[in-house]
Amino acid sequence: MIEAMDAERSALLRRAHMHGALADPQRLAIVEELLLGDRSPSWFSHHWGVASNLIAHHTRVLADAGLVDRRASEADRRRRYLHLTPAGRRLAGPAAVSE
């Protein structure tokens, strides 16, 4: 019984952490952009005019919350791309797509 309660509380804390990461408008915009496809952090800097260190901070927060993951380019393995995790898709999906 106690283990079930601990697991339930842990799941609630994880979900709260994810929602907290999305509470910042810039991070929410990153997640919504990633619904359209993978993007490099430099894409956000260039297209949005946001400093690369701020994009790095936001993507780190999103990654720590389990919403975004980084993967190497299949073409040259040097460039990194951001993509939504399944959890990120679930949280951002229907509301963002329906607007």
Side-chain angles (χ1 to χ4, degrees), residues 42-64:
S42 62
W43 184 94
F44 290 105
S45 292
H46 177 74
H47 284 83
W48 290 357
V50 176
S52 61
N53 62 331
L54 187 54
I55 294 295
H57 165 73
H58 287 313
T59 57
R60 188 171 30 257
V61 170
L62 292 168
D64 289 347

Side-chain angles (χ1 to χ4, degrees), residues 38-86:
D38 295 353
R39 303 277 189 263
S40 69
S42 62
W43 184 94
F44 290 105
S45 292
H46 177 74
H47 284 83
W48 290 357
V50 176
S52 61
N53 62 331
L54 187 54
I55 294 295
H57 165 73
H58 287 313
T59 57
R60 188 171 30 257
V61 170
L62 292 168
D64 289 347
L67 300 171
V68 170
D69 199 9
R70 297 171 189 92
R71 80 172 59 142
S73 165
E74 292 181 16
D76 69 5
R77 309 299 290 172
R78 290 179 293 173
R79 183 177 291 243
R80 302 298 245 169
Y81 286 89
L82 303 170
H83 70 277
L84 290 176
T85 63

